[in-house]
Amino acid sequence: MTFPIVPTARAAWLAALAAPLAIVIAAAAPQAWVVAPAAGAALLAIVLLDGILAGRMADWRVHVPADAEVGEPLTVLAMAEISGRASRAPVDIALAVDPRLDPAGSVRFAAPFAPGAGVWQGTVRVAPSRRGTAAVERVWLRWTGPLGLGARQASHALESEVRIWPDLAPVRSPALQAFLRDAQFGLIARRIRGEGTQFEALSEYEPGMDRRRIDWKASARHTRLYARENESERNNQIVFAFDCGQAMCEPVGGLPRIDRAVTAALTASYVALKGGDRVALFGFAQRPELSTPFVGDSRNFHRLQRAAAGLDYHAQEPNFTLALATLAARLQRRSLVVLFSDFTDPTGAELMIESVGRLVDRHLVLFVTIEDEDLASLSDTEPDTLDALATAVAADTLLRQRALVLERLRQMGVDIIEAPWDRIGYRLIDRYLEIKRAEAIG
């Protein structure tokens, strides 16, 4: 394989600086005109010699992780082995990548010489911005000679792909794991007494217990006070429904809203599975696109993760009527439906309200939306110009319309969670536990 020799930017600058000097020589001493072409030829010879001293590429490798999580940085490693190189200057590397890994479609970095390994190696960190499969298609390597005037370069096709999964950092967080160990939904599937509707056992009444738990018939038979211990309700059906339309593809905190919603839903799903309930996912845009069967074991959590990774991004308005009607027809028993959505105009919200209203008749609906911090900031900023005033008024109007839509949903019996993107996951878990303790699903 041949590695062409090319001039570097330093050589180009030298040639550019020599041009005015050649003009001065030609004007002052026309008989010395031969100096300019001779200098150019000498520079060309030096570039070629420097390129030869740059050495030849003996081997190269690019290691790309096969899996990553959206929003979580991943490290790409590149190594190059160059024989006969007389310079220890870093090797310049460029990668052609999918826009999911970098919006520009390429990343550039330098690989310094590693004396211990005898090779040039470097790393670059990229943060995936969307789920899916991202290809790393080609690599370019460029290394210079000792003078930095001549360089060699090589280009190779790559067949590397990165599977970008939903972010599960909250699931792995020590805080959540500690909660699952200590709370009533522990890692061991044990029976939970004291609440619920399923009778478990009788125990002697002790001060501090809820008086409503006293079993008066049993107490009369034993001439002592006994309280009923019930097992907490399990095997509830919980559906996490995702609006994958245009509004949910808008970024918040550097990632699309739908990805923030997926992370929150998977975190809550993990807690629900540990609590003995059954979980399914449902995704839609103009038509239903994802509908998983109910999963009832935390060992099958990976199925929910894989299904959520397939939720696509759509620059279209969602069809709430078709989607929620399809979901309602699928559910044969009362379920908790957690709907992640957002809206930008009252017209689209009207269709959503109408569709959600039909779902409320049979199911418990929890509407989750991410707080629009940008609108709140624009509305709260003290305007100092007419344009700023107009912007603040428009933002305040949109916030009022948003509050009106949420209030209408509340009046219909829909529970609402509106919180910043980094809090919706834990707010959702808290609300789920409240609903479960209240036995409101069954």
Side-chain angles (χ1 to χ4, degrees):
M1 180 180 293
T2 60
F3 303 100
I5 298 175
V6 296
T8 64
R10 181 181 298 179
W13 275 109
L14 284 176
L17 292 174
L21 182 60
I23 295 175
V24 172
I25 293 175
Q31 67 278 10
W33 64 271
V34 72
V35 173
L43 179 60
L44 179 59
I46 294 174
V47 167
L48 292 174
L49 178 61
D50 200 38
I52 293 173
L53 294 176
R56 302 176 65 84
M57 181 74 67
D59 194 14
W60 62 274
R61 287 192 185 94
V62 176
H63 174 69
V64 182
D67 297 277
E69 293 183 0
V70 65
E72 294 296 318
L74 64 95
T75 301
V76 178
L77 170 67
M79 295 185 294
E81 182 180 346
I82 304 173
S83 60
R85 189 179 187 192
S87 170
R88 292 293 183 260
V91 174
D92 294 323
I93 299 175
L95 298 172
V97 300
D98 189 282
R100 286 180 172 86
L101 297 177
D102 190 276
S106 65
V107 292
R108 300 173 182 269
F109 59 103
F113 183 71
V119 297
W120 283 261
Q121 65 181 28
T123 59
V124 62
R125 288 165 64 87
V126 294
S129 58
R130 291 198 170 194
R131 287 168 288 103
T133 300
V136 181
E137 300 173 346
R138 181 167 287 273
V139 59
W140 288 268
L141 302 102
R142 188 171 182 271
W143 63 102
T144 63
L147 299 178
L149 298 175
R152 289 193 175 192
Q153 58 187 23
S155 175
H156 302 279
L158 296 175
E159 297 181 355
S160 300
E161 289 185 342
V162 182
R163 294 184 297 269
I164 305 174
W165 300 91
D167 179 19
L168 294 184
V171 175
R172 296 188 296 268
S173 68
L176 182 62
Q177 295 301 325
F179 165 78
L180 290 172
R181 285 193 298 269
D182 299 337
Q184 60 175 344
F185 302 99
L187 293 176
I188 300 175
R190 62 184 184 274
R191 288 184 174 180
I192 305 168
R193 297 182 177 180
E195 297 181 353
T197 57
Q198 300 179 20
F199 174 73
E200 176 63 24
L202 287 174
S203 65
E204 197 168 335
Y205 180 81
E206 296 179 0
M209 287 185 174
D210 189 346
R211 293 182 180 180
R212 292 174 297 180
R213 290 169 48 193
I214 297 176
D215 188 317
W216 296 106
K217 291 184 179 179
S219 300
R221 287 195 302 269
H222 295 85
T223 65
R224 309 178 64 173
L225 286 179
Y226 279 87
R228 296 172 59 93
E229 290 188 342
N230 298 330
E231 183 180 356
S232 180
E233 186 180 40
R234 290 172 176 264
N235 206 34
N236 295 308
Q237 288 191 167
I238 304 171
V239 181
F240 292 94
F242 302 94
D243 166 11
C244 301
Q246 183 173 0
M248 289 295 286
C249 293
E250 293 296 322
V252 56
L255 290 179
R257 292 173 181 267
I258 181 64
D259 286 310
R260 301 299 187 187
V262 166
T263 297
L266 289 178
T267 306
S269 298
Y270 189 73
V271 175
L273 292 175
K274 291 295 184 181
D277 290 330
R278 303 168 65 222
V279 177
L281 305 183
F282 183 79
F284 63 94
Q286 286 192 329
R287 60 183 61 86
E289 298 197 350
L290 171 69
S291 182
T292 71
F294 281 97
V295 173
D297 192 329
S298 60
R299 290 174 294 184
N300 294 324
F301 176 74
H302 64 91
R303 296 182 181 178
L304 298 178
Q305 180 190 8
R306 187 176 295 110
L311 288 170
D312 208 348
Y313 307 86
H314 297 275
Q316 307 156 341
E317 292 299 324
N319 187 335
F320 284 99
T321 303
L322 175 61
L324 297 187
T326 303
L327 177 59
R330 176 194 170 193
L331 299 176
Q332 301 301 315
R333 52 177 280 204
R334 180 174 171 84
S335 307
L336 170 61
V337 178
V338 182
L339 175 60
F340 293 88
S341 184
D342 208 328
F343 47 89
T344 55
D345 64 277
T347 303
E350 284 293 335
L351 297 175
M352 179 189 68
I353 292 172
E354 181 181 349
S355 302
V356 171
R358 289 191 290 268
L359 200 62
V360 172
D361 294 339
R362 288 191 55 197
H363 305 283
L364 182 63
V365 179
L366 176 57
F367 184 84
V368 183
T369 185
I370 299 175
E371 186 177 288
D372 199 323
E373 297 177 345
D374 292 336
L375 276 182
S377 176
L378 290 173
S379 176
D380 295 338
T381 301
E382 190 72 25
D384 53 0
T385 64
L386 287 178
D387 288 341
L389 178 61
T391 300
V393 170
D396 186 67
T397 301
L398 291 175
L399 286 176
R400 290 177 182 273
Q401 292 176 347
R402 182 183 182 89
L404 180 60
V405 170
L406 296 180
E407 184 58 33
R408 290 184 60 187
L409 288 172
R410 288 189 183 94
Q411 292 175 356
M412 293 166 49
V414 177
D415 203 355
I416 305 291
I417 292 180
E418 184 183 22
W421 64 266
D422 55 348
R423 299 180 189 172
I424 59 170
Y426 294 108
R427 288 280 299 274
L428 178 57
I429 292 173
D430 290 342
R431 192 64 55 87
Y432 159 72
L433 295 177
E434 291 174 5
I435 292 172
K436 188 174 178 70
R437 282 194 292 266
E439 308 291 346
I441 304 176

